[in-house]
Amino acid sequence: MSSPRKTMHDPFKFWKFLVFPTVKAADIFSLFVKATLLVGTVVSISLLFYSAFSNQSQWFSCPQCDRVLLYGHRKLFKSNNASGDNYQETNVSHILFGIGGSAKTWNQRRHYCELWWRPEITRGYVWLDEKPPETEEWPKTSPPYKVSEDTSMFKYNCSYGSRSALHIARIVKESFELGFDNVRWFVMGDDDTVFFVENLVMILAKYDHNQMYYIGGNSESVEQDVIHSYTMAYGGGGFAISYPLAKELVRVLDGCVDRYSFFYGSDQRVQACMSEIGVSLTKELGFHQVDIRGNPYGLLASHPLAPLVSLHHLDYVQSIFPDMTQIDSLNKLIKPYGMDPGRTLQHSFCYDWNRSRSVSVSWGYTIQLYPYLATAKQLETAFQTFQTWRSWSNGPFTFNTQPMSHDPCERPVVYFLDRVESVGQGQTLTTYRRHVEKGNEGCDRPDYASIQAVQFVNVTSSTLKPDIWNMAPRRQCCEIINSKMEEVVGVKIRGCHQFESVTPP
């Protein structure tokens, strides 16, 4: 009798005589190979279809942004109890907004909230210091309101501040005590904060909401960070607190309000409590306090490599688009944002080698065109079109800046968004029109004549998939599309090729 070891030398021996008693071993092997190839082909086709449909469920293409808000997308981290079909990705229903406001100023500021608030989709309240006049009907387009509890028993010893900081500091506590179901994140902001909610969802979905997270951003002006804190999320720019952290925070918050009575703002008191709990700030660069004065153009035209999450203090800076009101400007920015939220204000730049030109794109907002090959460092650095928040000085800021010359021959030709349209599935075309300042017709040097003849820049791009923010960040690349018309320049934004860089000769 053959030993088991010898039988294993011929894997087809058993099946040859049991199933195919009259077939040769070579034929059996041929049939086996064909069957294996057939099974492999079927599996490959199945995986291809699965991949296509699963990508559709994980990625989104605006203007169907509500789909992202309601259903979310892939998380970078999952909690230990998140498994199988029972796990639901973070979406807007998991966020409870707490907006600090005043009954006296709400009608002047509510238009900022109404730009992003979506009745029946977003959840939360504007927390007022007192009940609004009964003679005025509360706008249906505004978030619903609640009146904060009395804070007269708390100390406030900051000589140059306002006691309104006390009721705003306690918003997260009062929001938590409402007992809403299915809340993963408490997001705080001011009544003049504009949130870009799809991008906020994208950011929060990266983090495990079962852990204690405190997420936000600093001030842009160093003088503010020195006076207040580098470790604090500035409240006007908005910040997010995960549910487990909020549960700890409400336990000690009222004590912090009294212990730190000499602090100026509500956000300082919240951060002081975070320090006692032992949770540090997780910084996300898309939260913008906008602690600057003057023209915010340079800040927005060189946005960091992060989704745009919020803008604050818009009443204290010039309109983001020239010759428009601030609200009209924001509505204009929201149009491209609605088509491609994650790409809004994202920076790309590239060269036209044939004409020795450089182009810098801040998608959905502005284009800068240079008549020479500028370095990548020059193209990525923000023009200082603004001053510091407190002293109206020329710096310092928490990011690098370069001066914007008054001489038109020493600065780029600037274009602002004119229109945006969909040109195919997941494809957008944004058009930017040349901006000519009043009383300044441009540079009369010969090398500037060709780019000043360019009246429009057309930019094509594919919808930016949200999962790109879960990867190591890299600025997207672009290329110049030569046009037969001298007054139009075409630019295509795309992912970068391997070993591609913006390197002049």
Side-chain angles (χ1 to χ4, degrees):
M1 179 179 292
S2 302
S3 68
R5 183 177 296 277
K6 290 183 179 179
T7 303
M8 292 301 291
H9 286 305
D10 186 358
F12 298 104
K13 186 173 182 179
F14 176 78
W15 295 105
K16 177 174 68 177
F17 292 105
L18 182 63
V19 183
F20 304 107
T22 63
V23 182
K24 296 179 180 179
D27 295 334
I28 292 292
F29 183 76
S30 177
L31 287 171
F32 177 78
V33 171
K34 291 179 180 179
T36 301
L37 292 173
L38 178 61
V39 171
T41 302
V42 171
V43 171
S44 298
I45 293 173
S46 301
L47 288 174
L48 180 64
F49 276 96
Y50 174 80
S51 177
F53 284 104
S54 67
N55 283 345
Q56 288 181 8
S57 67
Q58 294 164 352
W59 295 341
F60 71 94
S61 177
C62 275
Q64 299 176 347
C65 292
D66 288 350
R67 185 167 175 270
V68 186
L69 292 175
L70 293 173
Y71 303 111
H73 58 87
R74 184 184 303 171
K75 279 173 65 73
L76 181 59
F77 306 111
K78 287 187 177 181
S79 60
N80 293 330
N81 60 0
S83 61
D85 296 334
N86 295 326
Y87 182 76
Q88 186 181 22
E89 304 293 353
T90 294
N91 60 66
V92 74
S93 71
H94 299 125
I95 299 174
L96 189 67
F97 289 95
I99 307 301
S102 169
K104 294 182 176 63
T105 60
W106 176 249
N107 281 333
Q108 289 75 47
R109 290 190 164 188
R110 66 182 178 88
H111 303 291
Y112 288 118
C113 282
E114 290 172 351
L115 287 169
W116 60 269
W117 184 261
R118 300 187 185 182
E120 310 300 328
I121 294 180
T122 40
R123 293 198 295 170
Y125 296 94
V126 175
W127 292 84
L128 302 178
D129 48 356
E130 60 185 10
K131 191 172 182 179
E134 295 182 358
T135 55
E136 298 180 7
E137 184 178 358
W138 190 258
K140 295 181 179 178
T141 51
S142 295
Y145 77 87
K146 283 190 175 294
V147 179
S148 295
E149 296 175 0
D150 181 25
T151 58
S152 60
M153 74 289 296
F154 293 102
K155 296 182 291 185
Y156 188 81
N157 298 328
C158 182
S159 61
Y160 58 92
S162 168
R163 288 189 63 89
S164 62
L166 300 179
H167 95 85
I168 296 175
R170 299 184 75 253
I171 286 177
V172 63
K173 176 181 172 68
E174 295 187 53
S175 296
F176 183 89
E177 291 173 345
L178 293 175
F180 275 85
D181 293 332
N182 203 26
V183 175
R184 297 180 179 180
W185 297 95
F186 295 87
V187 174
M188 305 295 112
D190 285 353
D191 52 5
D192 60 342
T193 303
V194 176
F195 284 108
F196 296 82
V197 183
E198 289 82 8
N199 289 345
L200 175 64
V201 170
M202 278 197 288
I203 288 296
L204 297 183
K206 294 194 305 180
Y207 297 96
D208 183 356
H209 60 275
N210 294 293
Q211 305 298 319
M212 293 196 293
Y213 276 107
Y214 169 49
I215 302 173
N218 286 157
S219 170
E220 294 81 1
S221 292
V222 168
E223 61 189 17
Q224 287 288 92
D225 292 318
V226 170
I227 292 172
H228 300 297
S229 178
Y230 278 102
T231 60
M232 178 183 82
Y234 282 66
F239 58 86
I241 299 174
S242 62
Y243 186 92
L245 180 54
K247 189 175 182 179
E248 287 290 315
L249 179 63
V250 299
R251 181 178 59 85
V252 296
L253 182 60
D254 284 347
C256 290
V257 170
D258 262 348
R259 277 191 295 279
Y260 301 97
S261 61
F262 51 90
F263 279 164
Y264 168 80
S266 59
D267 42 13
Q268 285 180 289
R269 288 165 173 77
V270 171
Q271 191 278 324
C273 279
M274 296 300 181
S275 182
E276 294 185 0
I277 296 169
V279 175
S280 60
L281 173 64
T282 298
K283 294 182 182 180
E284 283 285 350
L285 299 177
F287 290 86
H288 295 290
Q289 175 75 1
V290 194
D291 270 352
I292 57 174
R293 304 282 187 169
N295 189 345
Y297 174 80
L299 172 66
L300 301 180
S302 298
H303 193 272
L305 191 54
L308 171 65
V309 175
S310 67
L311 293 172
H312 181 231
H313 276 160
L314 295 172
D315 277 341
Y316 299 91
V317 292
Q318 297 173 19
S319 175
I320 63 176
F321 283 102
D323 305 320
M324 299 181 71
T325 67
Q326 195 66 282
I327 295 297
D328 288 341
S329 288
L330 290 165
N331 275 314
K332 187 171 185 176
L333 183 65
I334 286 171
K335 289 180 181 178
Y337 167 79
M339 289 192 173
D340 197 347
R343 191 179 291 283
T344 304
L345 295 188
Q346 291 308 298
H347 207 187
S348 297
F349 38 84
C350 48
Y351 299 128
D352 182 345
W353 300 105
N354 296 327
R355 296 181 174 88
S356 294
R357 293 174 179 170
S358 307
V359 62
S360 172
V361 179
S362 176
W363 190 89
Y365 180 50
T366 187
I367 302 284
Q368 296 168 4
L369 194 58
Y370 297 77
Y372 55 88
L373 301 181
T375 65
K377 186 62 180 176
Q378 180 181 354
L379 294 172
E380 76 175 0
T381 304
F383 282 110
Q384 190 189 318
T385 59
F386 43 81
Q387 289 78 44
T388 60
W389 172 257
R390 179 177 293 269
S391 62
W392 293 68
S393 302
N394 288 324
F397 301 96
T398 55
F399 51 91
N400 292 327
T401 62
Q402 59 181 318
M404 174 70 97
S405 174
H406 295 290
D407 184 352
C409 295
E410 295 180 358
R411 59 186 184 183
V413 177
V414 173
Y415 302 76
F416 281 102
L417 178 72
D418 186 56
R419 62 183 183 275
V420 58
E421 56 186 304
S422 176
V423 290
Q425 186 173 7
Q427 298 284 323
T428 58
L429 169 65
T430 48
T431 300
Y432 305 79
R433 181 192 295 268
R434 185 188 168 202
H435 174 65
V436 179
E437 295 181 7
K438 295 178 181 179
N440 189 348
E441 297 303 320
C443 177
D444 55 3
R445 276 180 10 202
D447 58 334
Y448 268 82
S450 62
I451 64 168
Q452 289 181 158
V454 176
Q455 298 302 311
F456 295 94
V457 179
N458 292 327
V459 178
T460 56
S461 60
S462 299
T463 303
L464 200 64
K465 298 172 182 177
D467 278 18
I468 198 172
W469 301 113
N470 293 341
M471 305 175 187
R474 184 183 183 183
R475 185 185 64 245
Q476 286 218 305
C477 293
C478 66
E479 59 189 56
I480 305 296
I481 303 172
N482 291 327
S483 173
K484 295 180 180 179
M485 297 183 293
E486 291 295 326
E487 67 272 15
V488 179
V489 167
V491 179
K492 179 182 178 181
I493 300 179
R494 52 168 175 75
C496 298
H497 303 311
Q498 188 177 19
F499 307 124
E500 183 174 7
S501 62
V502 184
T503 305

